[in-house]
Amino acid sequence: MMRLLFVFFMVHTIFIPCFSFDIPGKDLPLTLDYYKSTCPTVFDVIKKEMECIVKEDPRNAAIIIRLHFHDCFVQGCDGSVLLDETETLQGEKKASPNINSLKGYKIVDRIKNIIESECPGVVSCADLLTIGARDATILVGGPYWDVPVGRKDSKTASYELATTNLPTPEEGLISIIAKFYSQGLSVEDMVALIGAHTIGKAQCRNFRSRIYGDFQVTSALNPVSETYLASLREICPASSGEGDSNVTAIDNVTPNLFDNSIYHTLLRGEGLLNSDQEMYTSLFGIQTRRIVSKYAEDPVAFFEQFSKSMVKMGNILNSESLADGEVRRNCRFVNT
């Protein structure tokens, strides 16, 4: 049975709900106090560094959340996404969903170095990333949730799974649902987790087909939408290869604030990514359309579900790493 606590506190004059959940599953090897005796300062260290990192550039919040997502969808939340390629290991960084979109590796290095100086060989990179994603969310106005810890870092990575498991910006709704289901995540989890796009940015290569495709159809030729579309086309030329790396906010209303604005964008038919807009306009989106509407109307319901879904995603574990994993000294390399 889930226990939900509503507590409101203020960050930068934004009232943020704080959610606390019982961790489901009696056999789950993660606990809230895993580092209580071995590295009691770990949460404070990560929080302090994330505060500095997000202050330097608010986009860093989305970057860390995205890293965590891409980690968990490939052989569980085990830090495999952080591994560099070596002569004996093919990493995930060059897989097609990652190579042009994932950043933040130096941020992880920075935090890991500080943690290692205080508690050498204790805190896994997988836990660092999970805690960092929670703190990143809070720092841009999102909800708090308790983070169970105790993950181990993998000694392997999977280029193949990174290529096949991760949803892509141009993917259809049925395919995306299947990818979430394969990770044990429901349709409700999927729609809530996509809400993290409220603080993300996208490259032209990932939304070109959308703005030169059905954008005018889904936005119903609204004059305001036409103005927005024109601005997007200035950023992203029609010709493939031209301006591919140009970026723009996925949520053009409140791009640096974690809120439910992204769902209002979908209601207007102005979703930047096809994969997002599909959740409201797809012929197969009867259930997702209802959830999108609910989150647009009720930001607390969105925050509550996002918190639950982030815990659930963070609990996707790699059984091999749990049995034979390690705590990497450097998140980029397996210990030698």
Side-chain angles (χ1 to χ4, degrees):
M1 180 71 66
M2 181 189 307
R3 183 184 70 252
L4 172 63
L5 286 175
F6 284 94
V7 182
F8 288 84
F9 60 95
M10 195 163 68
V11 176
H12 302 304
T13 71
I14 303 167
F15 287 96
I16 302 173
C18 164
F19 299 102
S20 177
F21 304 96
D22 285 336
I23 302 169
K26 294 180 180 179
D27 299 326
L28 196 67
L30 308 179
T31 63
L32 298 178
D33 59 355
Y34 185 83
Y35 296 116
K36 183 177 181 179
S37 60
T38 55
C39 193
T41 61
V42 60
F43 285 94
D44 292 333
V45 168
I46 295 174
K47 177 183 176 182
K48 180 179 178 181
E49 286 306 305
M50 285 303 304
E51 286 174 349
C52 295
I53 288 162
V54 173
K55 185 176 181 180
E56 291 167 8
D57 184 352
R59 189 185 177 190
N60 286 332
I63 285 171
I64 292 299
I65 295 170
R66 186 174 179 82
L67 259 183
H68 177 50
F69 181 95
H70 281 231
D71 183 35
C72 293
F73 263 60
V74 180
Q75 64 181 38
C77 308
D78 62 357
S80 61
V81 72
L82 303 172
L83 288 169
D84 283 351
E85 293 210 7
T86 67
E87 292 183 359
T88 58
L89 185 144
Q90 183 179 29
E92 299 166 12
K93 294 180 179 180
K94 293 183 180 179
S96 54
N98 294 341
I99 190 168
N100 291 313
S101 65
L102 284 192
K103 299 180 180 180
Y105 304 113
K106 291 183 179 179
I107 293 173
V108 174
D109 293 341
R110 168 175 163 178
I111 299 173
K112 179 64 170 175
N113 288 337
I114 296 172
I115 293 174
E116 284 296 300
S117 69
E118 294 199 13
C119 314
V122 174
V123 179
S124 68
C125 301
D127 276 346
L128 185 164
L129 198 51
T130 308
I131 299 167
R134 188 274 309 273
D135 291 344
T137 302
I138 296 170
L139 289 165
V140 286
Y144 170 95
W145 63 90
D146 292 320
V147 178
V149 287
R151 297 163 189 81
K152 295 299 181 184
D153 295 323
S154 68
K155 298 178 181 178
T156 63
S158 179
Y159 178 94
E160 180 181 356
L161 290 180
T163 303
T164 58
N165 283 16
L166 290 160
T168 62
E170 298 180 0
E171 203 158 354
L173 181 61
I174 299 301
S175 177
I176 297 173
I177 289 174
K179 289 184 175 182
F180 274 80
Y181 269 142
S182 71
Q183 302 296 333
L185 298 170
S186 68
V187 170
E188 186 101 24
D189 293 319
M190 177 187 72
V191 180
L193 291 170
I194 292 301
H197 284 170
T198 189
I199 55 167
K201 289 190 177 184
Q203 294 185 338
C204 166
R205 72 179 89 242
N206 291 325
F207 62 85
R208 177 181 283 117
S209 64
R210 166 78 174 130
I211 64 173
Y212 292 99
D214 67 347
F215 190 100
Q216 289 176 304
V217 175
T218 61
S219 61
L221 300 177
N222 183 305
V224 176
S225 298
E226 286 289 308
T227 301
Y228 176 43
L229 177 60
S231 69
L232 290 174
R233 289 179 172 177
E234 287 184 6
I235 295 168
C236 185
S239 300
S240 179
E242 186 178 350
D244 279 0
S245 60
N246 293 348
V247 299
T248 192
I250 301 175
D251 172 5
N252 69 314
V253 179
T254 54
N256 293 324
L257 178 64
F258 194 102
D259 58 13
N260 67 336
S261 176
I262 187 69
Y263 299 109
H264 290 278
T265 299
L266 301 184
L267 294 184
R268 294 193 301 271
E270 296 178 356
L272 184 65
L273 303 179
N274 180 71
S275 55
D276 289 355
Q277 190 60 50
E278 280 271 293
M279 296 190 188
Y280 190 71
T281 55
S282 171
L283 293 174
F284 304 105
I286 296 174
Q287 183 181 7
T288 55
R289 190 178 305 120
R290 175 184 59 79
I291 300 170
V292 167
S293 298
K294 179 176 72 172
Y295 293 161
E297 295 171 4
D298 189 348
V300 174
F302 163 48
F303 274 23
E304 176 185 347
Q305 186 60 48
F306 184 81
S307 301
K308 284 175 56 180
S309 298
M310 285 294 283
V311 172
K312 191 174 177 181
M313 184 179 73
N315 288 349
I316 302 172
L317 302 179
N318 181 341
S319 57
E320 289 185 10
S321 294
L322 286 174
D324 190 38
E326 63 181 9
V327 173
R328 290 186 215 133
R329 293 185 291 271
N330 182 328
C331 293
R332 293 175 181 265
F333 302 103
V334 174
N335 294 339
T336 55

